[in-house]
Amino acid sequence: MSPGDTLTRAEVLKLSLGASANNATAALVRTSGLTREAFIKKMNEKAKALGIEAHFGDAIGLDLENVSNVAGVARLLTEAVKIPEIRQATTMAKITVKPEGGDAYTADNTNELLGTFLDQAPYEIIGGKTGFIDESGYCLAQTVRSGGHDINIVVLGAKEHAFRFQEVKSLAVWAFDVFRWE
């Protein structure tokens, strides 16, 4: 992108969530009408209202004060995938945006499970989010549907980039193979 390019908030949200563009997330916070501190306070209030044990120190996910656990991430994912714009942003393999009067830009989604067997019948990826910082390792929260049932799979602290994706694939296949819903 170039300085002065103008995007819609919907396009910026897609880049933030799908392409894990930290600068897009920062732009959403700056243009929210709230101060950075007020935005983070609202994030913490929302987590508490949802019954999530978490604390946010920043909106991007890079601050070491950001703390949660598998149960908290899974609960947040359950709520997030209820929002159509979030589902769309996190399930597009490629995110294309077009600034007003400019050329289109395409960014890859950071979720390498999109387009794999886990995103084809009998499975469907409903939503998810990757993450990484040195202190937390490689992370992935993923909702997968099969047979009309959704499961959340959360992998935190993977030591290698590819391991989080392999773990989610293995856990999804295992869960849908072993468990029966009645």
Side-chain angles (χ1 to χ4, degrees), residues 2-175:
S2 301
D5 283 348
T6 302
L7 299 175
T8 66
R9 289 181 63 76
E11 290 174 311
V12 176
L13 180 67
K14 288 175 188 175
L15 292 170
S16 171
L17 295 175
S20 289
N22 294 336
N23 55 349
T25 307
L28 289 170
V29 173
R30 278 193 314 273
T31 61
S32 70
L34 299 172
T35 64
R36 179 186 173 281
E37 293 74 20
F39 192 95
I40 295 165
K41 181 179 179 189
K42 281 204 172 279
M43 290 175 63
N44 284 307
E45 289 170 352
K46 183 66 171 183
K48 185 176 180 179
L50 292 172
I52 297 171
E53 290 183 36
H55 174 77
F56 297 101
D58 78 345
I60 296 173
L62 300 177
D63 193 301
L64 294 181
E65 289 183 34
N66 294 322
V67 178
S68 190
N69 55 33
V70 169
V73 173
R75 175 81 175 104
L76 180 59
L77 181 60
T78 296
E79 294 302 316
V81 297
K82 291 178 182 177
I83 301 168
E85 294 83 3
I86 292 176
R87 281 196 315 273
Q88 180 189 35
T90 61
T91 56
M92 301 170 65
K94 301 230 180 252
I95 299 105
T96 301
V97 298
K98 187 171 184 333
E100 292 178 14
D103 294 328
Y105 297 95
T106 300
D108 291 328
N109 193 307
T110 56
N111 187 345
E112 295 178 9
L113 294 178
L114 296 171
T116 69
F117 79 90
L118 202 57
D119 199 23
Q120 299 172 15
Y123 307 107
E124 179 185 3
I125 291 176
I126 302 302
K129 182 72 183 86
T130 62
F132 172 81
I133 59 172
D134 289 336
E135 294 79 5
S136 298
Y138 295 93
C139 304
L140 176 61
Q142 187 74 66
T143 302
V144 180
R145 178 175 292 158
S146 185
H149 301 285
D150 293 357
I151 60 170
N152 288 340
I153 302 167
V154 177
V155 174
L156 303 177
K159 300 294 181 208
E160 297 178 22
H161 172 80
F163 185 73
R164 59 184 163 179
F165 301 112
Q166 186 57 49
E167 281 296 291
V168 167
K169 287 190 281 189
S170 297
L171 288 167
V173 170
W174 173 80

